Amino acid sequence: MLTLFFGSLITLILYNLFIYIFTKELAYLYYVLYLFFIVLEQLSYTTLNKYIYPKSLFDIETYFAIYYIAFIFIFSILFIREFLDVAKYKIIDTVLKIFLLFNIIFIIISSPNFYPIDVLVSVGMFFFLYILFISFYLLYKGNENAKYMVVGWSVAIVAWIMQGTYNEGGWSLLYEYPYFFESAIFFEAIIFSIALANKLNKTKELEESVASNKILTKELHHRVKNNMQLIISLYRLKLSKLEHASSFLKEVEGAIQAIGTTHEMLYSDNVLIDANAREYFVMLVDKLKNSYPHTNIDITYRIDEDIPTDCLMYLGIILNELMTNTYKYAFETNYGKIFISLEKQGEHIIFTYEDNGKGYDPHNNKNSFGLELVKSLVSSELQGDIKVSFDKGTKYIIRF
């Protein structure tokens, strides 16, 4: 019976250890260590350790029992915190941390001259009852894993109590059923292994769901980008016969491309939260250049930041407006320079756009709608502010 017991526990240890290696989920590691110290404690309790340890170690190994029991409590606490996700329940978690600290203190202060194993076991009984209480409470709260704790831990508590009363000479099931403890612990180990396997299956289902959502999201962004291109094509057809329509169409096309380019990045790079700003601006500027093929503009970037995709889209629309103004009004010749930078300063992002053109006074410019649009996007969408200077070129500093 003992051979079957230890063989089964070692099998479960290896099974859960391999799962931990592949999943890196701490619940499996804590459970493996919990079972490992149960094996050591029972080897010591049944004196089977004399067949394993050399005689020199066997003589002092008797004193290790208090450490085995303390580590059983420690790793059961860590396992329960991870398995039941009790961090969200502050009072419950605080009590568990107190039990954890108590056992660590016992490990530190225990020695052959100070061996309070009876105190540790007595406190451990309260710990077991507390775990059973919170298992029922969390089951009531709808925690799906709590049902495994209620079943498995109830059996384990009975087993530990029966072994405790047996050691003290009181009534115990162990008198009638000598291997009741081993059977109960094995049953508990099976229950928790099933629970962990169920948790693993749910994790796989979640990963598959996330993968499916990513595919759907990519398809959505791809279709949005194509729809943006369709809008541009339709307006080209609609406005192609109107005089002076081409310049206005370029501006509209640039704004739509700024949005479309954002979605293009989202579906091509699996970007969900933060995006590479440099890559985005380069893509956008290259498309804008195609609208002004006869202009020789040298563009310098100083961008090494990733920023949220929604902010990036608004910056793209802003960049389109600013560059359109630069291409149309800034240079008296076909040559010029543009400088674009993006940097983080604490919790703020600083976007700078600068050209070395002739500059202009926006108050005397008839076509100042673009600048008004930029100011509106900065204030309403980015919740930031903008500073503009027209000395020795045009410079915009946007802080949000």
Side-chain angles (χ1 to χ4, degrees):
M1 285 296 294
L2 290 177
T3 302
L4 178 62
F5 169 71
F6 287 115
S8 301
L9 285 194
I10 291 171
T11 301
L12 290 174
I13 287 173
L14 293 175
Y15 166 75
N16 287 289
L17 180 60
F18 278 115
I19 294 179
Y20 166 72
I21 291 172
F22 288 109
T23 64
K24 302 301 181 183
E25 290 199 23
L26 288 175
Y28 294 97
L29 177 61
Y30 294 147
Y31 190 61
V32 164
L33 292 171
Y34 165 71
L35 291 180
F36 174 73
F37 281 102
I38 284 182
V39 168
L40 292 182
E41 190 273 335
Q42 284 300 297
L43 284 173
S44 178
Y45 181 78
T46 58
T47 69
L48 287 179
N49 53 1
K50 65 185 177 183
Y51 299 108
I52 301 174
Y53 301 147
K55 189 176 185 305
S56 58
L57 180 61
F58 178 73
D59 292 337
I60 64 171
E61 198 270 341
T62 304
Y63 295 106
F64 293 172
I66 193 169
Y67 302 111
Y68 297 154
I69 295 173
F71 278 116
I72 288 172
F73 290 148
I74 286 172
F75 288 113
S76 63
I77 292 170
L78 294 174
F79 166 70
I80 290 163
R81 292 183 72 243
E82 192 75 22
F83 183 65
L84 295 181
D85 192 21
V86 299
K88 62 180 69 172
Y89 306 98
K90 291 185 179 180
I91 297 177
I92 293 175
D93 196 36
T94 299
V95 175
L96 286 178
K97 288 178 180 177
I98 292 173
F99 275 120
L100 188 64
L101 180 62
F102 175 83
N103 283 279
I104 293 173
I105 292 173
F106 258 76
I107 291 174
I108 295 173
I109 66 175
S110 296
S111 68
N113 297 324
F114 182 72
Y115 197 74
I117 191 169
D118 292 339
V119 177
L120 180 62
V121 171
S122 299
V123 174
M125 291 299 106
F126 285 106
F127 164 70
F128 283 133
L129 293 174
Y130 176 71
I131 295 303
L132 187 60
F133 165 75
I134 66 172
S135 298
F136 276 105
Y137 174 75
L138 295 180
L139 181 63
Y140 169 75
K141 286 292 186 179
N143 189 311
E144 190 173 346
N145 290 328
K147 61 185 178 184
Y148 298 105
M149 291 298 303
V150 169
V151 176
W153 211 258
S154 297
V155 174
I157 288 175
V158 174
W160 285 105
I161 291 176
M162 290 299 101
Q163 180 164 289
T165 55
Y166 179 82
N167 293 339
E168 297 297 325
W171 178 86
S172 174
L173 287 173
L174 269 65
Y175 290 111
E176 298 293 329
Y177 307 99
Y179 299 105
F180 173 79
F181 179 86
E182 287 78 7
S183 301
I185 295 299
F186 175 68
F187 175 79
E188 176 220 31
I190 290 292
I191 291 293
F192 286 150
S193 294
I194 292 173
L196 287 170
N198 183 61
K199 186 175 185 292
L200 180 62
N201 290 334
K202 288 187 178 297
T203 301
K204 287 182 178 179
E205 291 175 4
L206 181 60
E207 289 176 350
E208 292 174 358
S209 176
V210 170
S212 298
N213 285 335
K214 283 185 176 180
I215 293 173
L216 291 174
T217 302
K218 285 180 67 175
E219 180 62 22
L220 174 64
H221 289 303
H222 182 64
R223 292 191 180 191
V224 170
K225 185 253 183 181
N226 287 345
N227 288 339
M228 293 290 181
Q229 195 61 46
L230 177 61
I231 292 172
I232 293 173
S233 300
L234 289 174
Y235 271 92
R236 279 177 181 165
L237 289 173
K238 191 176 183 66
L239 300 176
S240 60
K241 296 181 180 180
L242 296 180
E243 190 177 356
H244 306 303
S246 60
S247 62
F248 294 106
L249 181 61
K250 282 183 181 180
E251 295 181 25
V252 174
E253 184 177 344
I256 295 175
Q257 280 182 343
I259 302 173
T261 303
T262 306
H263 289 280
E264 185 177 352
M265 281 189 65
L266 290 174
Y267 78 74
S268 62
D269 295 336
N270 285 324
V271 177
L272 295 177
I273 300 175
D274 289 349
N276 187 313
R278 183 184 182 87
E279 179 184 348
Y280 173 72
F281 286 140
V282 170
M283 288 174 62
L284 189 59
V285 168
D286 286 344
K287 291 181 179 181
L288 193 59
K289 281 181 177 180
N290 293 332
S291 300
Y292 300 90
H294 303 298
T295 307
N296 183 16
I297 303 294
D298 182 23
I299 300 175
T300 303
Y301 302 92
R302 190 178 68 196
I303 304 169
D304 296 309
E305 302 289 349
D306 293 344
I307 64 173
T309 53
D310 53 347
C311 296
L312 204 59
M313 184 177 68
Y314 293 122
L315 285 178
I317 298 173
I318 291 170
L319 178 61
N320 171 73
E321 293 296 332
L322 300 181
M323 285 199 68
T324 299
N325 283 340
T326 296
Y327 275 105
K328 290 172 66 176
Y329 307 117
F331 303 115
E332 295 178 342
T333 64
N334 288 333
Y335 177 76
K337 293 184 178 181
I338 293 175
F339 173 73
I340 302 171
S341 78
L342 188 75
E343 59 182 342
K344 289 185 179 178
Q345 293 182 1
E347 296 181 352
H348 292 88
I349 296 173
I350 310 299
F351 172 74
T352 303
Y353 176 90
E354 185 176 4
D355 67 50
N356 66 340
K358 62 183 180 179
Y360 72 99
D361 185 353
H363 300 293
N364 296 329
N365 193 290
K366 297 179 181 179
N367 189 22
S368 61
F369 172 76
L371 184 56
E372 292 302 318
L373 174 61
V374 169
K375 290 180 178 178
S376 176
L377 289 174
V378 171
S379 61
S380 62
E381 302 299 339
L382 298 178
Q383 279 83 51
D385 56 74
I386 181 171
K387 294 181 180 179
V388 187
S389 64
F390 302 100
D391 183 29
K392 296 180 181 179
T394 307
K395 184 176 183 179
Y396 301 83
I397 299 176
I398 297 171
R399 180 177 179 269
F400 64 97

